């Protein structure tokens, strides 16, 4: 759908607060907008954690919104922007919390998702919508905002800066020999059903070791993730290097950039690794890799989604709404060690084409 404005916007406000993977997708949209509208002033309202990853993108003003501070954060944002008025707000997060944040942003026009993707009543907070994209990847959903403004449909680019300090950290902490990263957990939630067996991760680590790759474990500082690291380390014959809870997002990005490959479930690190061109062996049974898989590594992903739908929900990919998740604790067990090692071997043989 065309925007109801006559001229190209001179000032843009992007609203995408979270999560890490979706923010990586939004980076590609921001880069496309920068290239297409080089004279436009771009402001991005982003979450506190996510800002540590993308807040140094050149040419973009970042405003950090800390949701933990509740109404005080909203009130401060409104006061900060009271004297400004953006030509266009790009409302890239279809969640009620983000829509309430959008009310603090003065904008002449507000662009959101099409009806099928405007969840949580987002359309009540916008004036126009991007074109429908049936069965599109989540990254293409973000790029749809740039395409609506006339940006060409070229290959996405990220170019997320990696500071010297982060590269130095990776150089001093990552192995000197070629290494495989395993990022075993998808989030802090213990019942998200996306996490694979620690014993099977250990078997993959041993497989990598037999091929001359040291295994590096990465993840956040939560108790769940630290426990996963301990279980993998104790089960592996070749002890991995455990960096779980020991990196910030920039340091993690540098470590992912130096890896030969990354093994992980549907998670933020999958998209971080994809953004720097590292092959990702994504583990997909609870979600559809064609919607949320690492965009440039979908051919490397293990895909048991259709089987999980049939086994646990008695249905097929064609019959469920796009984006349906399989929320069953045994769904990830459909993925075997051989599934993963076969994809890993193929990715290693293909090298880094990106």
């Amino acid at each position: 759908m065309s925007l109801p404005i006559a001229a190209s916007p001179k000032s843009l406000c992007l609203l995408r607060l979270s999560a890490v993977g979706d923010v990586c997708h939004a980076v590609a949209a921001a880069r496309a907008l920068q290239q297409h509208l080089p004279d436009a002033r771009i402001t991005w309202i982003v979450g506190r954690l996510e800002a540590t990853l993308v807040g140094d993108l050149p040419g973009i003003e970042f405003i950090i919104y800390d949701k933990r501070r509740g109404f005080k954060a909203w009130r401060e944002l409104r006061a900060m922007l009271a004297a400004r008025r953006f030509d266009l707000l790009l409302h890239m997060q279809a969640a009620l919390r983000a829509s309430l944040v959008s009310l603090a942003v003065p904008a002449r026009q507000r662009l959101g998702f099409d009806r099928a993707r405007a969840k949580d009543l987002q359309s009540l907070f916008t004036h126009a919508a991007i074109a429908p994209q049936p069965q599109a990847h989540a990254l293409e959903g973000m790029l749809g905002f740039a395409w609506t403004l006339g940006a060409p449909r070229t290959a996405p680019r990220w170019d997320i800066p990696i500071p010297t300090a982060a590269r130095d950290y990776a150089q001093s902490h990552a192995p000197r020999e070629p290494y495989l990263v395993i990022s075993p957990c998808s989030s802090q939630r213990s019942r998200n059903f996306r996490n694979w067996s620690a014993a099977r991760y250990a078997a993959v680590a041993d497989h990598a070791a037999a091929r001359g790759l040291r295994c590096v474990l990465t993840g956040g500082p939560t108790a769940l993730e630290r426990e996963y690291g301990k279980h993998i380390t104790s089960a592996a014959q070749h002890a991995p290097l455990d960096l779980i809870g020991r990196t910030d997002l920039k340091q993690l990005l540098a470590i992912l950039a130096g890896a030969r490959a990354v093994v992980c479930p549907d998670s933020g690190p999958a998209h971080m690794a994809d953004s720097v061109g590292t092959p990702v062996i994504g583990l997909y049974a609870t979600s559809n890799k064609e919607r949320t898989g690492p965009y440039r590594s979908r051919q490397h992903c293990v895909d048991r989604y259709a089987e999980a739908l049939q086994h646990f929900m008695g249905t097929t990919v064609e019959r469920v709404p796009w984006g349906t998740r399989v929320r069953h604790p045994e769904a990830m067990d459909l993925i075997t060690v051989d599934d993963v090692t076969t994809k890993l071997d193929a990715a290693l043989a293909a090298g880094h084409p990106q």
Side-chain angles (χ1 to χ4, degrees):
M1 180 182 297
S2 298
L3 279 173
I5 55 177
S8 296
K10 299 299 182 185
S11 59
L12 298 170
C13 182
L14 279 62
L15 176 58
R16 181 74 216 192
L17 301 173
S18 60
V20 169
D22 290 309
V23 165
C24 286
H25 298 333
V27 169
R31 291 302 199 190
L33 288 167
Q34 285 182 304
Q35 187 169 0
H36 180 62
L37 300 170
D39 297 327
R41 299 185 303 278
I42 299 177
T43 299
W44 185 341
I45 301 174
V46 70
R48 178 185 58 87
L49 172 65
E50 293 75 11
T52 65
L53 176 64
V54 303
D56 56 351
L57 291 178
I60 298 178
E61 173 197 19
F62 282 89
I63 297 175
I64 297 174
Y65 188 86
D66 188 352
K67 66 180 181 180
R68 300 176 305 173
R69 302 182 63 245
F71 182 67
K72 284 188 65 177
W74 187 91
R75 190 170 54 193
E76 290 173 4
L77 176 65
R78 184 180 181 184
M80 180 187 305
L81 299 177
R84 302 172 62 173
R85 190 169 181 82
F86 297 99
D87 289 337
L88 181 63
L89 170 68
L90 303 180
H91 191 346
M92 294 182 170
Q93 187 158 351
L96 183 58
R97 174 173 58 86
S99 291
L100 293 176
V101 172
S102 77
L103 297 178
V105 182
R108 295 181 176 87
Q109 299 292 340
R110 298 167 182 269
L111 179 65
F113 287 103
D114 58 282
R115 180 174 298 181
R117 292 176 291 181
K119 308 298 183 183
D120 286 356
L121 305 176
Q122 191 204 45
S123 58
L124 297 180
F125 299 83
T126 58
H127 301 127
I130 64 174
Q133 298 169 295
Q135 299 188 345
H137 191 277
L139 182 141
E140 294 167 344
M142 299 292 185
L143 286 172
F145 287 84
W147 295 341
T148 298
L149 295 179
R153 300 193 178 212
T154 54
R157 53 180 283 259
W158 290 264
D159 301 324
I160 301 174
I162 302 179
T164 300
R167 293 188 186 277
D168 289 345
Y169 179 92
Q171 187 173 7
S172 62
H173 287 75
R176 295 189 179 276
E177 65 265 38
Y179 61 92
L180 168 74
V181 167
I182 292 180
S183 181
C185 297
S186 66
S187 76
Q188 300 178 17
R189 299 185 299 275
S190 61
R191 291 182 60 82
N192 62 36
F193 303 140
R194 299 185 211 171
N195 295 335
W196 200 39
S197 157
R200 295 184 186 184
Y201 277 125
V204 172
D206 288 335
H207 176 89
R211 281 150 180 75
L213 295 180
R214 180 78 185 277
C215 178
V216 177
L217 303 179
T218 63
T222 66
L224 171 66
E225 291 167 281
R226 291 184 188 277
E227 196 67 21
Y228 245 87
K230 291 178 182 177
H231 286 317
I232 294 170
T233 300
S234 63
Q237 296 179 8
H238 302 271
L241 172 62
D242 190 353
L243 295 181
I244 292 176
R246 296 173 57 192
T247 62
D248 60 29
L249 288 181
K250 287 293 193 184
Q251 293 166 345
L252 174 58
L253 188 65
I255 287 171
L256 295 173
R260 290 289 305 279
V262 176
V263 175
C264 61
D266 185 2
S267 62
H271 305 293
M272 291 173 62
D274 194 46
S275 75
V276 293
T278 301
V280 181
I281 293 80
L283 310 184
Y284 283 77
T286 65
S287 53
N288 189 341
K289 72 178 179 69
E290 296 303 326
R291 181 179 178 273
T292 61
Y295 191 73
R296 298 186 294 182
S297 279
R298 283 171 287 176
Q299 74 276 20
H300 298 313
C301 291
V302 176
D303 184 6
R304 293 285 186 171
Y305 177 64
E307 186 177 344
L309 281 174
Q310 183 64 55
H311 189 75
F312 298 109
M313 298 176 65
T315 188
T316 64
V317 176
E318 294 75 21
R319 291 179 179 175
V320 297
W322 190 246
T324 296
R325 294 188 182 276
V326 180
R327 300 189 184 279
H328 194 283
E330 297 177 12
M332 291 295 285
D333 292 340
L334 295 174
I335 297 175
T336 68
V337 172
D338 284 344
D339 288 337
V340 179
T341 57
T342 297
K343 287 288 188 178
L344 174 60
D345 289 346
L348 295 174
H352 282 228
Q354 300 156 2

